Amino acid sequence: MMGSTLFFIQRFSALFLLGYSLWIMTFVFLNQPLEFTAWQIFTNQLEFLILTTLVAFISILHAYIGLWTVGTDYFTSRTLGFLHPELAKYANLIRGIYTLIFCIVGLLIIFIILLTIWS
Amino acid sequence: MIHINIYRYNPEKDKFPYMQTFEFEKPKRDIMVLELLNQLKEKDPTISYRRSCREGVCGSDGMNINGKNGLACITPLSSVVQKNKLDLRPLPGLPVVRDLVVDMTEFYAQYEKIKPFLQNDVPVDIGERLQSPEDRDKLDGLYECILCACCSTSCPSFWWNPDKFVGPAALLQAYRFIADSRDTKTAERLQSLSDPFSVYRCHGIMNCVSVCPKGLNPNEAIGEIKSMLLSGKNKENIIASDGMS
């Protein structure tokens, strides 16, 4: 993938997450003291459900790019070789496991969010 | 007395690198770090370091001086000695050949990658390629780089991926040719930098700017390259749209 594409995905997803956070905070701020019924009505509206679903996917995408960057910085044969020469041989395997763990955790987070808001 | 700690490593003799301390009498007049090394070398001829012009032009004696990269020949002792202590280490991130001498192969490989020479398909008809004074001004702050590697070796992104991230020194030179009105390969140059590593691994921490002994700003040049990549505009587009307005 092109560097510019990743750059735009990260920036636009960050803006989307910022907008969503501000929207939630504004609601909380304008509805003081916040009562359960008001919060329930707010979280049951279709806009909330759709936007929160989008946030789940977008935040995982945003985090994936960030963590991929971290992984390709610190889990390489060169960087791991600084710790121990033997580790350098397993750099791809270690990075693969790191990516796999993150993907599993990410999918689990999405599943929990979707299950919580749509059930 | 000043305590000078020098990184020592001779791969033929030493299993591991170590720091050796030398006692050096405080000079009456301020001297450069290179002069200090020259005087220490008279006492211990095994100390190895590169030097040539001793006036900040050749870029040979780049090293890590009290934790900050710089050229030994233009760094006054008084500006770096703290509590009568001075640590001298090789440039970080590159393999050490011996003591303060590093293997610059990876650094030069990145420099070679950006094709640091003028490319122009249009035949020359008057013997030289002319440039307006305004276009020539755009190269100021770019062409002065002496390739000492102080910037690239202070950059964590270059430490982790010296084979993929081009590094501030080579990117400054890449922009030097991108910005040159006589060069016609801007699109190709940008295309070669468009992957996620070559330019985009720069996160703008500005270590390069902080250490450059020539006072250059590689971070700004990298920003310009990123802007051109992100806007999809290259020099030809900009010149064409300027001409239309």
Side-chain angles (χ1 to χ4, degrees):
Chain A
M1 194 178 268
M2 298 279 280
S4 301
T5 312
L6 294 179
F7 183 95
F8 279 127
I9 291 174
Q10 270 209 301
R11 269 66 186 179
F12 283 123
S13 59
L15 286 174
F16 186 84
L17 295 175
L18 175 70
Y20 177 83
S21 307
L22 289 174
W23 179 52
I24 301 286
M25 284 192 284
T26 308
F27 171 78
V28 172
F29 181 74
L30 294 177
N31 289 278
Q32 288 298 324
L34 187 60
E35 288 176 3
F36 178 73
T37 7
W39 179 249
Q40 195 179 35
I41 292 166
F42 177 71
T43 55
N44 279 336
Q45 59 185 331
L46 192 61
E47 295 96 310
F48 178 85
L49 296 173
I50 291 171
L51 285 173
T52 307
T53 303
L54 280 174
V55 159
F57 284 100
I58 286 173
S59 57
I60 294 301
L61 186 64
H62 181 89
Y64 180 82
I65 295 171
L67 288 169
W68 171 79
T69 308
V70 172
T72 47
D73 268 353
Y74 298 113
F75 300 127
T76 62
S77 54
R78 182 185 180 92
T79 318
L80 292 172
F82 286 142
L83 298 176
H84 195 283
E86 277 298 307
L87 278 177
K89 293 180 194 166
Y90 303 105
N92 287 340
L93 178 69
I94 293 169
R95 195 166 66 250
I97 293 169
Y98 160 81
T99 311
L100 186 68
I101 290 171
F102 173 69
C103 286
I104 291 170
V105 171
L107 289 173
L108 197 64
I109 290 171
I110 289 180
F111 177 72
I112 291 168
I113 292 174
L114 296 186
L115 193 69
T116 308
I117 63 167
W118 287 100
S119 60
Chain B
M1 293 293 262
I2 307 173
H3 307 284
I4 317 288
N5 299 314
I6 299 181
Y7 180 100
R8 302 302 306 268
Y9 179 57
N10 179 353
E12 290 167 8
K13 273 187 359 193
D14 306 321
K15 198 173 178 192
F16 297 106
Y18 61 97
M19 297 299 284
Q20 185 177 7
T21 305
F22 295 85
E23 301 296 326
F24 187 78
E25 197 163 337
K26 228 175 196 172
K28 289 191 176 72
R29 62 174 178 89
D30 201 9
I31 60 170
M32 300 296 169
V33 174
L34 180 64
E35 177 58 27
L36 162 89
L37 278 168
N38 289 341
Q39 291 187 28
L40 288 178
K41 196 173 172 67
E42 284 177 14
K43 291 178 194 164
D44 181 353
T46 64
I47 301 174
S48 300
Y49 54 95
R50 288 195 181 103
R51 79 277 183 271
S52 180
C53 74
R54 56 102 185 107
E55 58 183 6
V57 175
C58 70
S60 305
D61 61 350
M63 60 184 69
N64 190 272
I65 305 167
N66 262 359
K68 189 176 177 182
N69 292 353
L71 294 180
C73 61
I74 54 169
T75 305
L77 204 55
S78 61
S79 70
V80 284
V81 169
Q82 289 171 346
K83 295 177 183 168
N84 289 327
K85 196 169 150 278
L86 179 68
D87 289 350
L88 298 176
R89 297 169 191 269
L91 290 173
L94 293 177
V96 176
V97 177
R98 184 168 164 166
D99 297 345
L100 302 174
V101 178
V102 291
D103 180 356
M104 307 268 280
T105 308
E106 283 172 325
F107 175 77
Y108 289 130
Q110 293 299 345
Y111 182 56
E112 190 182 357
K113 211 190 266 184
I114 59 107
K115 297 186 178 168
F117 44 85
L118 198 73
Q119 297 181 76
N120 193 322
D121 295 333
V122 185
V124 190
D125 55 0
I126 51 169
E128 61 183 325
R129 297 189 192 282
L130 298 178
Q131 189 173 43
S132 71
E134 292 76 25
D135 283 336
R136 168 60 189 78
D137 285 348
K138 290 177 186 163
L139 307 183
D140 286 342
L142 304 172
Y143 76 92
E144 298 95 329
C145 175
I146 56 171
L147 297 174
C148 63
C150 285
C151 58
S152 291
T153 56
S154 69
C155 175
S157 292
F158 190 76
W159 296 342
W160 311 144
N161 289 293
D163 54 334
K164 296 192 187 103
F165 174 54
V166 173
L171 285 172
L172 184 80
Q173 288 310 296
Y175 186 64
R176 178 251 172 274
F177 288 99
I178 287 170
D180 195 320
S181 62
R182 300 163 297 178
D183 192 281
T184 57
K185 296 285 184 188
T186 303
E188 289 84 347
R189 288 183 187 280
L190 289 173
Q191 179 60 35
S192 72
L193 298 171
S194 62
D195 63 281
F197 283 91
S198 294
V199 175
Y200 286 105
R201 274 300 154 111
C202 169
H203 302 303
I205 64 166
M206 296 178 76
N207 274 7
C208 52
V209 182
S210 160
V211 301
C212 179
K214 306 298 281 184
L216 306 179
N217 191 339
N219 194 64
E220 191 180 4
I222 294 168
E224 295 288 346
I225 296 173
K226 277 186 186 172
S227 297
M228 292 176 96
L229 283 168
L230 293 168
S231 67
K233 279 186 178 176
N234 62 36
K235 192 169 55 194
E236 284 78 23
N237 296 144
I238 294 165
I239 292 165
S241 61
D242 284 353
M244 285 166 72
S245 60

